[in-house]
Amino acid sequence: MWPYGAGDEDDVSPALTWSGAPKSTETFVLIADESGGSAVAPTTNWLVYDIPSSVVELREELSGGGASDVARLGMKDDAGTEPIVVDPMEGMMGGMGGMEGYEDPEIADMRRMISGAVDSGFDPSARAKEGRRRDGQTGYKGPTGDGIVSFKLYALKGRLGLPAGASKEEVLAAMKGKILTKTTLTAKAVEG
């Protein structure tokens, strides 16, 4: 059993990695539940679904503490940033007084076209989403005490087709008939 920090003041998600998913995997679902110890009843600490099959790790602090980068899973590191378009004349024109801040209209059009293609090429419905915990909130919530946290990762054929903020029950119902395989990492919450 993996020792896992309890009572994390920042409530930030741990780093997780996996491998060996079936080739036909289209998406993953991660459900983190806590039971035993100080947890009075089993509690869902985190629920992430529609994780693209290209994702094989979740970095530490991906979610929690009031912030989340879950929707960016599977996107390139620079996705959503302004593209860099180099104007070959810029270096030559920069030294000629009065040209500072000028952008060739063709270069400006190219920058807008690339930006539009990048933004429209990633459908928001295809992004990973976080579901609601039992307390009604989304995002990661660290263990509350000295219980057991089970991180269950499901490989699925297809997307769930649910909006962000779905409940655990809705996610489990949408997974029916789509599960290819499942793996579990069990962690013992320890005071840190």
CSV table of all heavy atoms in Angstrom, one decimal, residues 13-14 16 18 27-33 44-51 58 62 73 129-131 140 150-156 160 168 171 175 183-185:
chain,number,residue,atom,x,y,z
A,13,SER,N,-3.9,17.7,-6.1
A,13,SER,CA,-3.8,16.3,-6.6
A,13,SER,C,-2.4,15.8,-6.6
A,13,SER,O,-1.5,16.5,-6.9
A,13,SER,CB,-4.5,16.2,-7.9
A,13,SER,OG,-3.8,17.0,-8.9
A,14,PRO,N,-2.3,14.4,-6.4
A,14,PRO,CA,-1.0,13.8,-6.5
A,14,PRO,C,-0.6,13.5,-8.0
A,14,PRO,O,-1.5,13.5,-8.8
A,14,PRO,CB,-1.2,12.5,-5.7
A,14,PRO,CG,-2.6,12.2,-6.0
A,14,PRO,CD,-3.3,13.5,-6.0
A,16,LEU,N,0.1,11.0,-10.9
A,16,LEU,CA,-0.2,9.6,-11.2
A,16,LEU,C,0.2,9.3,-12.6
A,16,LEU,O,0.1,10.1,-13.5
A,16,LEU,CB,-1.7,9.4,-11.0
A,16,LEU,CG,-2.4,9.6,-9.7
A,16,LEU,CD1,-3.9,9.7,-9.8
A,16,LEU,CD2,-2.0,8.6,-8.7
A,18,TRP,N,0.4,5.8,-15.6
A,18,TRP,CA,-0.1,4.5,-16.0
A,18,TRP,C,0.4,4.1,-17.3
A,18,TRP,O,0.9,4.9,-18.1
A,18,TRP,CB,-1.6,4.4,-15.9
A,18,TRP,CG,-2.3,5.4,-16.8
A,18,TRP,CD1,-2.7,5.2,-18.1
A,18,TRP,CD2,-2.8,6.7,-16.4
A,18,TRP,NE1,-3.4,6.3,-18.6
A,18,TRP,CE2,-3.4,7.2,-17.6
A,18,TRP,CE3,-2.8,7.5,-15.3
A,18,TRP,CZ2,-4.0,8.5,-17.6
A,18,TRP,CZ3,-3.3,8.7,-15.3
A,18,TRP,CH2,-3.9,9.2,-16.4
A,27,THR,N,-10.8,6.8,-24.1
A,27,THR,CA,-10.7,7.7,-23.0
A,27,THR,C,-10.5,6.9,-21.7
A,27,THR,O,-10.6,5.7,-21.7
A,27,THR,CB,-12.0,8.5,-22.9
A,27,THR,OG1,-13.1,7.6,-22.6
A,27,THR,CG2,-12.3,9.3,-24.1
A,28,PHE,N,-10.1,7.7,-20.7
A,28,PHE,CA,-10.0,7.2,-19.3
A,28,PHE,C,-10.9,7.9,-18.4
A,28,PHE,O,-11.3,9.0,-18.6
A,28,PHE,CB,-8.6,7.4,-18.8
A,28,PHE,CG,-7.5,6.6,-19.6
A,28,PHE,CD1,-6.7,7.3,-20.5
A,28,PHE,CD2,-7.3,5.3,-19.3
A,28,PHE,CE1,-5.7,6.6,-21.2
A,28,PHE,CE2,-6.3,4.6,-20.0
A,28,PHE,CZ,-5.5,5.2,-20.9
A,29,VAL,N,-11.3,7.2,-17.3
A,29,VAL,CA,-12.0,7.8,-16.2
A,29,VAL,C,-11.2,7.5,-14.9
A,29,VAL,O,-10.7,6.4,-14.8
A,29,VAL,CB,-13.4,7.2,-16.0
A,29,VAL,CG1,-14.1,7.7,-14.7
A,29,VAL,CG2,-14.3,7.6,-17.2
A,30,LEU,N,-11.0,8.5,-14.1
A,30,LEU,CA,-10.3,8.3,-12.8
A,30,LEU,C,-11.3,8.7,-11.7
A,30,LEU,O,-11.9,9.8,-11.7
A,30,LEU,CB,-9.1,9.2,-12.7
A,30,LEU,CG,-8.4,9.2,-11.4
A,30,LEU,CD1,-7.6,7.9,-11.2
A,30,LEU,CD2,-7.4,10.3,-11.2
A,31,ILE,N,-11.4,7.7,-10.8
A,31,ILE,CA,-12.3,8.0,-9.6
A,31,ILE,C,-11.4,7.7,-8.4
A,31,ILE,O,-10.9,6.6,-8.2
A,31,ILE,CB,-13.5,7.1,-9.6
A,31,ILE,CG1,-14.4,7.3,-10.8
A,31,ILE,CG2,-14.4,7.3,-8.3
A,31,ILE,CD1,-15.6,6.4,-11.0
A,32,ALA,N,-11.3,8.7,-7.5
A,32,ALA,CA,-10.6,8.6,-6.2
A,32,ALA,C,-11.6,8.6,-5.1
A,32,ALA,O,-12.3,9.6,-4.9
A,32,ALA,CB,-9.5,9.7,-6.1
A,33,ASP,N,-11.7,7.5,-4.3
A,33,ASP,CA,-12.6,7.4,-3.2
A,33,ASP,C,-11.8,7.1,-1.9
A,33,ASP,O,-10.8,6.4,-1.9
A,33,ASP,CB,-13.6,6.2,-3.4
A,33,ASP,CG,-14.6,6.5,-4.5
A,33,ASP,OD1,-15.1,7.6,-4.6
A,33,ASP,OD2,-14.9,5.5,-5.2
A,44,THR,N,-16.0,10.5,-2.3
A,44,THR,CA,-15.3,10.7,-3.5
A,44,THR,C,-14.4,11.9,-3.4
A,44,THR,O,-14.9,13.0,-3.2
A,44,THR,CB,-16.3,10.8,-4.7
A,44,THR,OG1,-17.1,9.6,-4.8
A,44,THR,CG2,-15.6,11.1,-6.0
A,45,ASN,N,-13.1,11.8,-3.5
A,45,ASN,CA,-12.2,12.9,-3.4
A,45,ASN,C,-11.9,13.5,-4.8
A,45,ASN,O,-11.5,14.7,-4.8
A,45,ASN,CB,-10.8,12.4,-2.9
A,45,ASN,CG,-11.0,11.9,-1.5
A,45,ASN,OD1,-11.9,11.2,-1.1
A,45,ASN,ND2,-10.1,12.4,-0.6
A,46,TRP,N,-12.1,12.8,-5.9
A,46,TRP,CA,-11.8,13.3,-7.2
A,46,TRP,C,-12.5,12.5,-8.3
A,46,TRP,O,-12.6,11.2,-8.1
A,46,TRP,CB,-10.3,13.3,-7.4
A,46,TRP,CG,-9.8,14.3,-8.5
A,46,TRP,CD1,-10.4,15.3,-9.0
A,46,TRP,CD2,-8.5,14.2,-9.1
A,46,TRP,NE1,-9.6,16.0,-10.0
A,46,TRP,CE2,-8.4,15.3,-10.0
A,46,TRP,CE3,-7.4,13.3,-9.0
A,46,TRP,CZ2,-7.3,15.5,-10.8
A,46,TRP,CZ3,-6.3,13.6,-9.7
A,46,TRP,CH2,-6.2,14.6,-10.6
A,47,LEU,N,-13.0,13.1,-9.3
A,47,LEU,CA,-13.7,12.4,-10.4
A,47,LEU,C,-13.3,13.1,-11.7
A,47,LEU,O,-13.6,14.3,-11.9
A,47,LEU,CB,-15.2,12.5,-10.1
A,47,LEU,CG,-16.1,11.9,-11.1
A,47,LEU,CD1,-15.9,10.4,-11.4
A,47,LEU,CD2,-17.6,12.1,-10.7
A,48,VAL,N,-12.6,12.4,-12.6
A,48,VAL,CA,-12.1,13.0,-13.8
A,48,VAL,C,-12.6,12.0,-14.9
A,48,VAL,O,-12.3,10.8,-14.8
A,48,VAL,CB,-10.6,13.2,-13.9
A,48,VAL,CG1,-10.2,13.9,-15.2
A,48,VAL,CG2,-10.1,14.0,-12.7
A,49,TYR,N,-13.2,12.5,-16.0
A,49,TYR,CA,-13.6,11.7,-17.1
A,49,TYR,C,-13.4,12.3,-18.4
A,49,TYR,O,-13.0,13.5,-18.5
A,49,TYR,CB,-15.1,11.3,-16.9
A,49,TYR,CG,-16.1,12.5,-16.7
A,49,TYR,CD1,-16.7,13.1,-17.7
A,49,TYR,CD2,-16.2,13.0,-15.4
A,49,TYR,CE1,-17.6,14.2,-17.5
A,49,TYR,CE2,-17.1,14.1,-15.2
A,49,TYR,CZ,-17.7,14.7,-16.2
A,49,TYR,OH,-18.6,15.7,-16.0
A,50,ASP,N,-13.5,11.5,-19.5
A,50,ASP,CA,-13.2,11.8,-20.8
A,50,ASP,C,-11.7,12.3,-21.0
A,50,ASP,O,-11.4,13.2,-21.8
A,50,ASP,CB,-14.1,12.9,-21.4
A,50,ASP,CG,-15.5,12.4,-21.7
A,50,ASP,OD1,-15.6,11.2,-21.8
A,50,ASP,OD2,-16.4,13.2,-21.8
A,51,ILE,N,-10.8,11.6,-20.2
A,51,ILE,CA,-9.4,11.9,-20.3
A,51,ILE,C,-9.0,11.3,-21.6
A,51,ILE,O,-9.2,10.1,-21.9
A,51,ILE,CB,-8.6,11.3,-19.2
A,51,ILE,CG1,-9.1,11.8,-17.8
A,51,ILE,CG2,-7.1,11.5,-19.3
A,51,ILE,CD1,-8.6,11.0,-16.6
A,58,LEU,N,-0.9,12.2,-14.9
A,58,LEU,CA,-1.5,13.4,-14.3
A,58,LEU,C,-0.5,14.0,-13.4
A,58,LEU,O,0.0,13.3,-12.5
A,58,LEU,CB,-2.8,13.1,-13.6
A,58,LEU,CG,-3.9,12.4,-14.3
A,58,LEU,CD1,-5.1,12.1,-13.4
A,58,LEU,CD2,-4.3,13.1,-15.5
A,62,LEU,N,-2.4,19.1,-10.5
A,62,LEU,CA,-3.3,19.3,-11.7
A,62,LEU,C,-4.6,20.0,-11.3
A,62,LEU,O,-5.2,20.8,-12.0
A,62,LEU,CB,-3.5,18.0,-12.5
A,62,LEU,CG,-4.4,18.1,-13.7
A,62,LEU,CD1,-3.7,18.8,-14.8
A,62,LEU,CD2,-4.8,16.7,-14.1
A,73,LEU,N,-5.9,18.6,-20.5
A,73,LEU,CA,-5.3,17.3,-20.7
A,73,LEU,C,-5.3,16.9,-22.1
A,73,LEU,O,-6.4,16.9,-22.7
A,73,LEU,CB,-6.0,16.2,-19.8
A,73,LEU,CG,-5.7,16.3,-18.3
A,73,LEU,CD1,-6.6,15.3,-17.5
A,73,LEU,CD2,-4.2,16.0,-18.0
A,129,LYS,N,-12.9,16.3,-18.2
A,129,LYS,CA,-13.8,17.1,-17.3
A,129,LYS,C,-13.7,16.6,-15.9
A,129,LYS,O,-13.4,15.4,-15.7
A,129,LYS,CB,-15.3,17.0,-17.8
A,129,LYS,CG,-15.5,17.5,-19.2
A,129,LYS,CD,-16.8,16.9,-19.8
A,129,LYS,CE,-16.9,17.1,-21.3
A,129,LYS,NZ,-16.0,16.3,-22.1
A,130,GLU,N,-14.0,17.4,-15.0
A,130,GLU,CA,-14.1,17.0,-13.6
A,130,GLU,C,-15.5,16.9,-13.2
A,130,GLU,O,-16.4,17.8,-13.5
A,130,GLU,CB,-13.3,18.0,-12.7
A,130,GLU,CG,-11.8,17.9,-12.8
A,130,GLU,CD,-11.1,18.8,-11.9
A,130,GLU,OE1,-11.2,20.0,-12.1
A,130,GLU,OE2,-10.4,18.3,-11.0
A,131,GLY,N,-15.9,15.9,-12.4
A,131,GLY,CA,-17.2,15.7,-11.9
A,131,GLY,C,-17.3,16.2,-10.5
A,131,GLY,O,-16.4,16.7,-9.9
A,140,TYR,N,-10.1,18.4,-7.1
A,140,TYR,CA,-9.5,17.4,-6.2
A,140,TYR,C,-9.7,17.9,-4.7
A,140,TYR,O,-9.5,19.1,-4.4
A,140,TYR,CB,-8.0,17.3,-6.5
A,140,TYR,CG,-7.3,16.4,-5.5
A,140,TYR,CD1,-7.5,15.0,-5.6
A,140,TYR,CD2,-6.6,16.9,-4.4
A,140,TYR,CE1,-6.9,14.1,-4.7
A,140,TYR,CE2,-6.0,16.0,-3.5
A,140,TYR,CZ,-6.1,14.7,-3.6
A,140,TYR,OH,-5.6,13.8,-2.7
A,150,SER,N,-8.6,5.0,-2.7
A,150,SER,CA,-8.5,4.1,-3.9
A,150,SER,C,-8.6,5.0,-5.2
A,150,SER,O,-9.6,5.6,-5.4
A,150,SER,CB,-9.6,3.0,-3.9
A,150,SER,OG,-9.4,2.2,-2.8
A,151,PHE,N,-7.5,4.9,-6.0
A,151,PHE,CA,-7.5,5.6,-7.3
A,151,PHE,C,-7.9,4.6,-8.3
A,151,PHE,O,-7.1,3.7,-8.6
A,151,PHE,CB,-6.2,6.2,-7.6
A,151,PHE,CG,-5.8,7.4,-6.6
A,151,PHE,CD1,-5.1,7.1,-5.4
A,151,PHE,CD2,-6.1,8.7,-6.9
A,151,PHE,CE1,-4.8,8.1,-4.6
A,151,PHE,CE2,-5.8,9.7,-6.1
A,151,PHE,CZ,-5.1,9.4,-4.9
A,152,LYS,N,-9.1,4.6,-8.9
A,152,LYS,CA,-9.5,3.6,-9.8
A,152,LYS,C,-9.5,4.3,-11.2
A,152,LYS,O,-10.1,5.3,-11.4
A,152,LYS,CB,-10.9,3.1,-9.5
A,152,LYS,CG,-11.0,2.3,-8.2
A,152,LYS,CD,-12.4,2.0,-7.8
A,152,LYS,CE,-13.1,3.1,-7.3
A,152,LYS,NZ,-13.2,3.4,-5.9
A,153,LEU,N,-8.7,3.7,-12.1
A,153,LEU,CA,-8.6,4.2,-13.5
A,153,LEU,C,-9.2,3.2,-14.4
A,153,LEU,O,-8.9,2.0,-14.4
A,153,LEU,CB,-7.1,4.3,-13.9
A,153,LEU,CG,-6.8,4.9,-15.2
A,153,LEU,CD1,-7.2,6.4,-15.3
A,153,LEU,CD2,-5.4,4.7,-15.6
A,154,TYR,N,-10.2,3.7,-15.2
A,154,TYR,CA,-10.9,2.8,-16.2
A,154,TYR,C,-10.5,3.2,-17.6
A,154,TYR,O,-10.4,4.4,-17.9
A,154,TYR,CB,-12.4,3.0,-16.1
A,154,TYR,CG,-13.0,2.7,-14.7
A,154,TYR,CD1,-13.0,3.6,-13.7
A,154,TYR,CD2,-13.6,1.4,-14.5
A,154,TYR,CE1,-13.5,3.3,-12.4
A,154,TYR,CE2,-14.1,1.1,-13.3
A,154,TYR,CZ,-14.1,2.0,-12.2
A,154,TYR,OH,-14.6,1.7,-11.0
A,155,ALA,N,-10.2,2.3,-18.4
A,155,ALA,CA,-10.0,2.5,-19.9
A,155,ALA,C,-11.3,2.2,-20.6
A,155,ALA,O,-11.9,1.2,-20.3
A,155,ALA,CB,-8.9,1.6,-20.4
A,156,LEU,N,-11.7,3.1,-21.4
A,156,LEU,CA,-13.1,3.0,-22.0
A,156,LEU,C,-13.0,3.1,-23.6
A,156,LEU,O,-12.1,3.7,-24.1
A,156,LEU,CB,-14.0,4.2,-21.6
A,156,LEU,CG,-14.2,4.4,-20.1
A,156,LEU,CD1,-15.1,5.6,-19.9
A,156,LEU,CD2,-14.8,3.2,-19.4
A,160,LEU,N,-17.9,9.7,-22.7
A,160,LEU,CA,-19.1,9.5,-21.9
A,160,LEU,C,-20.3,10.5,-22.4
A,160,LEU,O,-21.4,10.2,-22.1
A,160,LEU,CB,-18.8,9.8,-20.4
A,160,LEU,CG,-17.9,8.8,-19.8
A,160,LEU,CD1,-17.7,9.1,-18.3
A,160,LEU,CD2,-18.3,7.4,-20.0
A,168,LYS,N,-20.9,11.3,-9.6
A,168,LYS,CA,-20.3,10.0,-9.7
A,168,LYS,C,-21.3,9.0,-10.3
A,168,LYS,O,-21.0,8.1,-11.1
A,168,LYS,CB,-19.8,9.5,-8.4
A,168,LYS,CG,-19.2,8.2,-8.4
A,168,LYS,CD,-18.6,7.8,-7.0
A,168,LYS,CE,-18.1,6.4,-7.0
A,168,LYS,NZ,-17.6,6.0,-5.7
A,171,VAL,N,-21.6,9.4,-14.0
A,171,VAL,CA,-20.4,8.9,-14.7
A,171,VAL,C,-20.5,7.4,-14.7
A,171,VAL,O,-20.3,6.8,-15.8
A,171,VAL,CB,-19.2,9.4,-14.0
A,171,VAL,CG1,-17.9,8.7,-14.5
A,171,VAL,CG2,-19.0,10.9,-14.2
A,175,MET,N,-20.7,4.9,-18.1
A,175,MET,CA,-19.6,4.0,-18.4
A,175,MET,C,-20.1,2.6,-18.7
A,175,MET,O,-19.3,1.8,-19.3
A,175,MET,CB,-18.7,3.9,-17.1
A,175,MET,CG,-17.8,5.1,-16.9
A,175,MET,SD,-17.0,5.1,-15.3
A,175,MET,CE,-16.1,3.6,-15.3
A,183,THR,N,-7.9,-0.6,-13.4
A,183,THR,CA,-6.8,-0.8,-12.5
A,183,THR,C,-7.0,0.1,-11.2
A,183,THR,O,-7.6,1.1,-11.3
A,183,THR,CB,-5.4,-0.5,-13.1
A,183,THR,OG1,-4.4,-1.0,-12.2
A,183,THR,CG2,-5.2,0.9,-13.4
A,184,THR,N,-6.5,-0.3,-10.1
A,184,THR,CA,-6.6,0.4,-8.9
A,184,THR,C,-5.3,0.6,-8.1
A,184,THR,O,-4.5,-0.4,-8.0
A,184,THR,CB,-7.6,-0.3,-7.9
A,184,THR,OG1,-8.9,-0.5,-8.6
A,184,THR,CG2,-7.9,0.5,-6.6
A,185,LEU,N,-5.1,1.8,-7.7
A,185,LEU,CA,-3.9,2.1,-6.8
A,185,LEU,C,-4.5,2.4,-5.4
A,185,LEU,O,-5.4,3.3,-5.3
A,185,LEU,CB,-3.1,3.3,-7.3
A,185,LEU,CG,-2.1,3.8,-6.3
A,185,LEU,CD1,-1.0,2.8,-6.1
A,185,LEU,CD2,-1.5,5.1,-6.9
